[in-house]
Amino acid sequence: MLSETTIAQLAAELHESERTRVQVEHFSKRFPEMTIEDGYAVSRAWVAHKIAEGRTVKGHKIGLTSRAMQLSSQISEPDYGTLLDDMFFEQGGDIPFTRFIAPRIEVELAFVLGKPLKGPGVTIFDVLAATDYVVPAIEIIDARIEQFDRHTKAPRKVFDTIADNAANAGIVLGGRPVKPDAVDLRWVGALLYKNGVIEETGVAAGVLNHPATGVAWLANKLAPWDEHLAAGEVVLAGSFTRPTTAQPGDTFHADYGPLGAISFRLA
């Protein structure tokens, strides 16, 4: 396990990286003994730093929900991060590219909770009963820790991604909110257009067979920390498309069929 001093140091590096838009080298290369628990400790220290500066927690994100992504990251379960108030952007307008370093776009569903969820033992049925509504969402992921090592070109490890708040940087909600029993959430599909061209397609069943599965997993994962998912929080259930790279001036449009669409431009 990393020392508290090292954890605080790495959290400060992430904070500075986000501010300056200069990526840092892999933590896992500098500290080969780093564990998944260390990654979460760094992420929590970074979030605590942001809260001390006046940010507020608005929810959580779940990542690495597809089997392919778990295998590539050499992990057998998803990961998670924290959504803060300044990560939410309005759909239909311009989002400043200068907020990010190397942004990529993912298509997801967001669960907005009407009741708290506290593990252990939370099931997808508990999630559906506690959900006020489900709404289309786009997550803007980013990398304060470089994705590929600048010297060896080796990909970063899951410890790095977890420390980096599970790569979260922004969220856009839109489309048509629906009650969780109004549609078969497994078969909600989406087309992601970049500059008018379809880049990715997917269905929500690609997220652990049902998008509510990840929300239940997260509620149970937080239990040992004596934490829970609170009423009113937004929970990003996980992407059902591959990440799509973004450059300044790119326009994105995600069409969720009956659930509407989300559009924005990175200006």
Side-chain angles (χ1 to χ4, degrees), residues 1-18 24-35 38-47 49 144-145 159-160 163-165:
M1 294 287 290
L2 300 180
S3 70
E4 291 186 9
T5 301
T6 299
I7 288 169
Q9 170 198 326
L10 297 182
E13 289 185 24
L14 289 171
H15 197 64
E16 182 67 5
S17 172
E18 184 180 57
V24 298
E25 294 189 64
H26 297 175
F27 293 167
S28 61
K29 184 178 76 170
R30 293 156 54 190
F31 300 95
E33 73 277 19
M34 189 176 188
T35 66
D38 290 326
Y40 282 120
V42 173
S43 178
R44 286 171 183 275
W46 184 23
V47 170
H49 190 83
R144 276 73 52 167
I145 300 174
F159 319 118
D160 303 304
D164 197 10
N165 197 31

Side-chain angles (χ1 to χ4, degrees), residues 169-182:
I171 173 176
V172 185
L173 303 179
R176 182 171 71 89
V178 296
K179 292 295 183 182
D181 60 353

Side-chain angles (χ1 to χ4, degrees), residues 21-236:
R21 298 179 65 216
V22 177
Q23 293 176 317
V24 298
E25 294 189 64
H26 297 175
F27 293 167
S28 61
K29 184 178 76 170
R30 293 156 54 190
F31 300 95
E33 73 277 19
M34 189 176 188
T35 66
I36 287 177
E37 289 74 18
D38 290 326
Y40 282 120
V42 173
S43 178
R44 286 171 183 275
W46 184 23
V47 170
H49 190 83
K50 286 176 168 289
I51 291 172
E53 290 187 336
R55 301 272 61 88
T56 57
V57 175
K58 291 294 185 181
H60 306 269
K61 66 139 308 175
I62 304 162
L64 300 180
T65 52
S66 73
R67 183 63 174 157
M69 289 298 291
Q70 289 178 13
L71 289 173
S72 67
S73 299
Q74 298 181 329
I75 191 172
S76 59
E77 65 177 13
D79 66 357
Y80 65 90
T82 303
L83 303 178
L84 301 171
D85 58 319
D86 64 341
M87 296 176 177
F88 286 73
F89 297 94
E90 294 291 332
Q91 67 124 8
D94 287 349
I95 296 175
F97 189 89
T98 51
R99 277 288 304 271
F100 313 104
I101 303 172
R104 294 184 292 166
I105 308 302
E106 294 184 338
V107 171
E108 314 201 9
L109 290 177
F111 287 68
V112 181
L113 300 180
K115 300 176 183 178
L117 284 168
K118 186 170 184 177
V122 173
T123 68
I124 65 169
F125 306 107
D126 297 321
V127 173
L128 297 175
T131 299
D132 191 7
Y133 59 90
V134 179
V135 63
I138 284 181
E139 182 182 7
I140 304 173
I141 62 174
D142 203 2
R144 276 73 52 167
I145 300 174
E146 54 196 14
Q147 188 174 4
F148 297 97
D149 180 81
R150 66 189 67 175
H151 304 294
T152 67
K153 308 307 177 185
R156 64 182 181 178
K157 295 184 178 179
V158 70
F159 319 118
D160 303 304
T161 304
I162 290 173
D164 197 10
N165 197 31
N168 177 257
I171 173 176
V172 185
L173 303 179
R176 182 171 71 89
V178 296
K179 292 295 183 182
D181 60 353
V183 297
D184 185 346
L185 294 176
R186 294 184 71 248
W187 293 106
V188 172
L191 306 173
L192 177 63
Y193 295 79
K194 174 182 172 181
N195 300 326
V197 178
I198 295 177
E199 289 282 334
E200 289 290 337
T201 65
V203 294
V207 179
L208 301 171
N209 193 48
H210 193 294
T213 302
V215 183
W217 171 85
L218 179 56
N220 294 325
K221 192 73 174 177
L222 292 174
W225 298 84
D226 196 28
E227 296 178 2
H228 67 280
L229 304 178
E233 286 190 337
V234 177
V235 183
L236 285 176

